[in-house]
């Protein structure tokens, strides 16, 4: 009996020591945010909102322009997100496949690799549990369906999109991705004036709905109005585009990001090059430069 008691206390002391050692790894976080045993878990303390996460967690969706055009494409992109407290770099990919005479298309895209190094101030503001603020992450995967509703009529070209975000991204503890799903749907409109050979203008707009899961037990999702307005200038194989886009959540917890987008693209027969600059205006405070190399899976023309 005595031997059994000694063995029990020995095993208990080892288990307790291991538990204390595991907890001590986050004792700095517990002390910093006043967490005590019995309080809700650390996930409940975070804010699932674009203003409290990395640049790729809940980004403003790419602006659609009212019509499906061009061949199937694969796009590989490197991005540099400039931010005084959270410089971030990533590699992403995008596949676009139209069919049925460019009346329907599907697309799949996501961040394959992200590297980050945020400051102590950013770490504390986002209630992150990555003490030194450095690391790598894998991003979320998106897929969407696009349907051409109206094209080449008196009414502006009209395109419908429905997109979903998976929970494939990791590093929620570093406030990089949400580890939860989301979806958005929208209608985009455009009208053309001129010809590509001499210069073509294409004003466009977008209006839709964006919703994502939160960790608020009283409001399990945040719903937002999705919007964009902009214009293209196209001449021969060159495209210049400028737009304002964003979405406006109802919780008012830095969930109303707005940004300016500038896009330059040069097309070749089988390939294309694309340079983008994104300037955050509100609740998404990054200045992003993106360089893309595009393979046309079926040559144009």
């Amino acid at each position: 009996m005595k031997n059994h008691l000694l063995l029990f206390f020995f095993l208990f002391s080892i288990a307790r020591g291991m538990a204390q050692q595991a907890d001590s790894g986050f004792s700095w976080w517990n002390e910093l945010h006043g967490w005590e045993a019995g309080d809700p878990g650390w996930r409940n303390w975070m804010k699932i909102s674009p203003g409290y996460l990395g640049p790729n967690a809940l980004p403003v969706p790419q602006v659609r322009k009212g019509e499906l055009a061009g061949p199937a494409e694969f796009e590989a992109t490197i991005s540099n997100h400039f931010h005084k407290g959270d410089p971030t770099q990533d590699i992403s990919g995008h596949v676009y496949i139209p069919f049925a005479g460019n009346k329907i298309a599907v697309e799949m895209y996501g961040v394959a690799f992200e590297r980050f190094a945020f400051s102590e101030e950013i770490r504390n503001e986002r209630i992150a549990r990555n003490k030194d603020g450095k690391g790598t992450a894998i991003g979320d995967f998106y897929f969407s369906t696009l349907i051409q509703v109206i094209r080449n009529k008196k009414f502006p070209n009209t395109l419908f999109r429905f997109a979903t975000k998976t929970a494939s991204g990791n590093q929620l503890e570093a406030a990089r991705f949400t580890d939860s799903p989301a979806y958005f749907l929208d209608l985009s409109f455009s009208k053309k004036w001129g010809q590509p050979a001499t210069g073509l203008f294409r004003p466009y707009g977008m209006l839709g709905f964006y919703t994502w899961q939160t960790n608020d037990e009283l409001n399990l999702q945040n719903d937002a109005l999705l919007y964009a307005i902009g214009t293209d200038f196209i001449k021969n194989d060159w495209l210049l585009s400028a737009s304002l886009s964003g979405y406006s959540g109802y919780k008012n917890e830095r969930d109303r990001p707005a940004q300016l987008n500038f896009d330059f693209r040069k097309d070749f027969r089988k390939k294309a090059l694309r340079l983008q600059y994104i300037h955050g205006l509100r609740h998404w405070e990054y200045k992003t430069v993106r360089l893309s190399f595009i393979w046309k899976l079926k040559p144009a023309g």
Side-chain angles (χ1 to χ4, degrees):
M1 183 67 177
K2 183 177 180 181
N3 291 335
H4 285 92
L5 288 174
L6 290 174
L7 179 61
F8 171 79
F9 284 115
F10 175 71
L11 293 174
F12 177 78
S13 62
I14 292 177
R16 184 179 180 184
M18 292 177 64
Q20 289 177 342
Q21 184 177 5
D23 182 66
S24 66
F26 295 106
S27 59
W28 64 270
W29 187 93
N30 300 341
E31 295 173 5
L32 180 65
H33 299 290
W35 186 91
E36 297 180 354
D39 286 346
W42 61 270
R43 293 169 182 261
N44 298 75
W45 294 61
M46 302 184 73
K47 294 181 180 179
I48 308 301
S49 175
Y52 291 98
L53 298 167
N56 294 309
L58 292 167
V60 175
Q62 179 182 345
V63 180
R64 305 307 305 188
K65 301 175 181 179
E67 61 179 318
L68 297 173
E73 294 181 346
F74 171 71
E75 181 175 358
T77 302
I78 55 174
S79 303
N80 197 340
H81 307 271
F82 296 92
H83 187 295
K84 184 178 179 180
D86 184 23
T88 303
Q89 302 80 39
D90 67 65
I91 299 172
S92 60
H94 180 277
V95 177
Y96 166 79
I97 304 174
F99 52 94
N102 275 347
K103 295 178 181 178
I104 301 175
V106 294
E107 59 182 356
M108 298 160 281
Y109 56 96
V111 173
F113 175 83
E114 178 186 281
R115 183 177 68 178
F116 58 89
F118 51 79
S119 67
E120 182 177 324
E121 180 181 0
I122 290 291
R123 181 200 70 191
N124 296 344
E125 179 185 60
R126 297 178 181 176
I127 319 181
R129 284 163 67 87
N130 184 314
K131 189 174 184 179
D132 65 4
K134 298 178 181 179
T136 60
I138 298 173
D140 294 316
F141 176 75
Y142 293 75
F143 59 92
S144 63
T145 300
L146 304 102
I147 301 174
Q148 189 72 60
V149 181
I150 299 173
R151 182 166 56 194
N152 299 329
K153 304 292 183 180
K154 290 185 178 181
F155 193 81
N157 294 327
T158 305
L159 179 70
F160 172 76
R161 170 175 62 177
F162 178 77
T164 60
K165 180 182 83 71
T166 67
S168 58
N170 64 357
Q171 290 281 15
L172 172 63
E173 62 273 17
R176 306 315 298 180
F177 294 94
T178 66
D179 194 25
S180 61
Y183 71 87
F184 55 89
L185 53 90
D186 57 72
L187 286 170
S188 58
F189 311 89
S190 67
K191 197 73 175 177
K192 296 178 181 177
W193 282 276
Q195 296 296 327
T198 56
L200 182 149
F201 285 94
R202 178 172 60 185
Y204 54 85
M206 184 179 75
L207 195 64
F209 174 77
Y210 190 9
T211 185
W212 67 95
Q213 184 176 321
T214 73
N215 56 3
D216 184 345
E217 294 183 358
L218 298 179
N219 299 282
L220 291 176
Q221 67 182 36
N222 197 338
D223 302 325
L225 174 70
L226 177 64
Y227 61 88
I229 187 170
T231 187
D232 286 346
F233 175 73
I234 302 169
K235 187 171 183 180
N236 297 322
D237 296 324
W238 291 90
L239 179 145
L240 287 78
S241 181
S243 63
L244 167 69
S245 63
Y247 59 84
S248 183
Y250 79 90
K251 296 186 70 173
N252 198 22
E253 292 183 345
R254 296 176 67 176
D255 56 359
R256 300 175 180 178
Q259 62 190 42
L260 292 172
N261 313 286
F262 302 94
D263 196 345
F264 305 89
R265 173 169 168 153
K266 168 62 176 175
D267 275 83
F268 305 93
R269 185 171 181 272
K270 296 182 179 181
K271 299 179 177 67
L273 292 174
R274 185 182 187 189
L275 178 65
Q276 297 171 278
Y277 173 67
I278 303 172
H279 187 95
L281 298 174
R282 181 184 63 203
H283 298 176
W284 190 87
E285 300 170 349
Y286 296 87
K287 312 296 184 289
T288 295
V289 176
R290 288 186 170 135
L291 179 63
S292 301
F293 192 84
I294 300 167
W295 290 266
K296 299 179 182 180
L297 304 182
K298 180 180 178 182

